[in-house]
């Protein structure tokens, strides 16, 4: 990307790029022993995976792949203002749904296929609210046809 392209990127695009890059890094980190404790217990999916990213967040191969895919989607959608806005707001909604799902299912049930633990649930709440907030605050200013404040 040239300096001209970088300079023409809006704040909502930059925010989506940063969020996407963080998800990509988290997805990669989930596959690195040491950053992920109990790495040898990681399973493809399900609550039986005892692997913990940073010793706190329960992960599985599927969970890491979802983070990688979400990161790639963020980087791709950040190429346009509308895509960046939709990524942040839509992704935030997805994370709020995941937060509710994590609260409603038993952590030891077969329905916990991602897997999720209490730390994941609270992180999903923060991510959901943060992404929606970024999308709305920055998109209001950056989306074509919106009032500039």
């Amino acid at each position: 990307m040239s300096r001209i392209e970088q300079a023409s990127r809006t704040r909502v695009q930059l925010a989506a790029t940063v969020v996407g890059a963080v998800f990509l890094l988290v997805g990669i980190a989930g596959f690195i022993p040491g950053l992920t404790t109990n790495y040898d217990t990681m399973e493809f999916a399900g609550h039986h995976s005892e692997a913990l990213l940073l010793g706190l967040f329960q992960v599985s191969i599927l969970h890491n792949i979802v983070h990688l895919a979400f990161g790639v989607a963020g980087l791709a959608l950040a190429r346009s203002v509308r895509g960046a806005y939709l990524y942040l707001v839509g992704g935030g909604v997805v994370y709020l749904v995941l937060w509710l799902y994590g609260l409603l299912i038993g952590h030891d049930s077969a329905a916990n296929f991602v897997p999720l633990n209490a730390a994941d649930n609270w992180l999903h709440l923060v991510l959901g609210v943060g992404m929606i907030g970024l999308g709305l605050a920055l998109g209001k200013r950056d989306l074509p046809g919106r009032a500039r404040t």
Side-chain angles (χ1 to χ4, degrees), residues 14-30 53 64 67-68 70-72 74-75 87 95 123 127:
L14 291 173
T17 299
V18 169
V19 171
V22 168
F23 274 108
L24 202 55
L25 290 173
V26 167
I28 292 167
L53 180 58
N64 292 333
H67 288 142
L68 290 169
F70 208 75
V72 169
L75 295 177
Y87 172 73
Y95 273 92
L123 180 60
L127 286 171

Side-chain angles (χ1 to χ4, degrees), residues 31-137:
F31 288 115
I32 299 176
L35 290 177
T36 300
T37 58
N38 303 321
Y39 187 82
D40 58 331
T41 67
M42 186 182 303
E43 297 195 10
F44 180 77
H47 67 278
H48 297 295
S49 182
E50 295 176 17
L52 299 171
L53 180 58
L54 304 176
L56 189 59
F57 304 103
Q58 191 173 10
V59 293
S60 66
I61 293 169
L62 176 63
H63 203 152
N64 292 333
I65 290 170
V66 168
H67 288 142
L68 290 169
F70 208 75
V72 169
L75 295 177
L77 289 168
R79 296 179 71 186
S80 74
V81 173
R82 183 147 185 80
Y85 171 79
L86 292 173
Y87 172 73
L88 291 171
V89 174
V93 169
V94 167
Y95 273 92
L96 288 180
V97 169
L98 268 174
W99 170 66
L100 288 172
Y101 179 76
L103 292 178
L104 296 174
I105 62 158
H107 290 170
D108 292 329
S109 77
N112 189 12
F113 65 93
V114 174
L116 305 169
N117 64 12
D120 289 306
N121 290 340
W122 289 109
L123 180 60
H124 292 158
L125 172 63
V126 170
L127 286 171
V129 170
M131 289 175 72
I132 291 170
L134 275 172
L136 294 177

